[in-house]
Amino acid sequence: MTNTTGRRVTANLSLTLDGRYNGPGGPGDLGAIVPYAMTETARRHLSRTHREATTVVLGRRNAEGFLGFWPTVAADDNADPRDRAYAKWLVEAEKVVFSRTLDEAPWERTRLVDAPAADVLTELKATGEGDILVNSSASVIKALLAADLLDRLYLMICPEISGGGERLFDDGLPASAWTLTHQEAGEKGELALVYDRAG
């Protein structure tokens, strides 16, 4: 086992009641997620995700999508202060983006990687300080669940059943136990949950 600095690997993702992070229409089908993304509960939840994080890990699709949205929020004096704080953190944080196709980093302070997620995260844990947040990038989160490398899960549960789409928790994952360290219910029935590895 590699010596580590004590950095935690955390992951943030929104899921439907049937455990899906998109609908039957594919990656862009977020109809069961979007209505709950800007609630007061969701904003407080988002604020928690980056409070102790110094590094953000993204897949290519999220990196490109975030680049088109969050920098404008960071510069918007009229944006919700929590959204703006997150946006500024995202712009300024160290970013690691997984991609097989990008030739150059889409953001400042960004490193492109084309390697197994478990290897990259093990390397990140061995250096630096602060949490490492895998932010809404399901393919990376799934690889880290399979490698048993996640220390904390930030989950937003949206009160809809999508009936199709991709699931976060695949069969065959290593067994693990988790402790619920925070929970909050929103007015629309959404649940903000924080789970830490037990033991």
Side-chain angles (χ1 to χ4, degrees):
M1 182 75 179
T2 304
N3 289 331
T4 68
T5 58
R7 302 186 81 184
R8 293 182 300 186
V9 179
T10 69
N12 173 44
L13 198 62
S14 294
L15 300 173
T16 60
L17 284 178
D18 50 344
R20 302 175 195 275
Y21 54 88
N22 59 37
D29 184 355
L30 302 175
I33 305 285
V34 169
Y36 311 94
M38 294 302 210
T39 66
E40 289 298 301
T41 299
R43 284 187 160 114
R44 285 191 290 270
H45 185 66
L46 188 63
S47 295
R48 279 188 289 276
T49 66
H50 67 94
R51 191 172 293 149
E52 299 176 56
T54 56
T55 302
V56 61
V57 174
L58 299 162
R60 176 196 56 79
R61 183 180 290 123
N62 272 353
E64 291 180 326
F66 285 10
L67 179 60
F69 179 74
W70 287 110
T72 59
V73 175
D76 183 357
D77 292 337
N78 297 315
D80 184 284
R82 292 161 296 185
D83 294 347
R84 197 165 184 218
Y86 169 77
K88 287 182 172 181
W89 169 80
L90 186 61
V91 169
E92 294 168 6
E94 172 195 20
K95 289 169 280 292
V96 176
V97 174
F98 284 88
S99 177
R100 295 188 178 96
T101 58
L102 291 177
D103 294 323
E104 60 182 53
W107 296 55
E108 293 179 3
R109 291 178 285 286
T110 301
R111 177 167 56 108
L112 295 176
V113 293
D114 180 9
D119 294 349
V120 173
L121 271 291
T122 298
E123 175 191 318
L124 286 172
K125 278 192 77 161
T127 59
E129 57 186 31
D131 287 355
I132 303 159
L133 172 63
V134 184
N135 200 2
S136 301
S137 295
S139 61
V140 180
I141 296 170
K142 290 173 82 161
L144 297 177
L145 283 168
D148 207 17
L149 284 176
L150 287 177
D151 303 302
R152 171 173 281 187
L153 287 167
Y154 295 99
L155 298 176
M156 177 66 71
I157 307 301
C158 304
E160 297 193 20
I161 293 173
S162 66
E166 296 175 273
R167 294 182 186 274
L168 177 61
F169 300 107
D170 294 328
D171 288 343
L173 291 174
S176 57
W178 297 79
T179 301
L180 181 65
T181 56
H182 183 86
Q183 60 182 318
E184 181 180 356
E187 291 183 3
K188 293 183 174 183
E190 71 276 21
L191 289 175
L193 305 172
V194 183
Y195 283 99
D196 286 333
R197 284 297 293 261

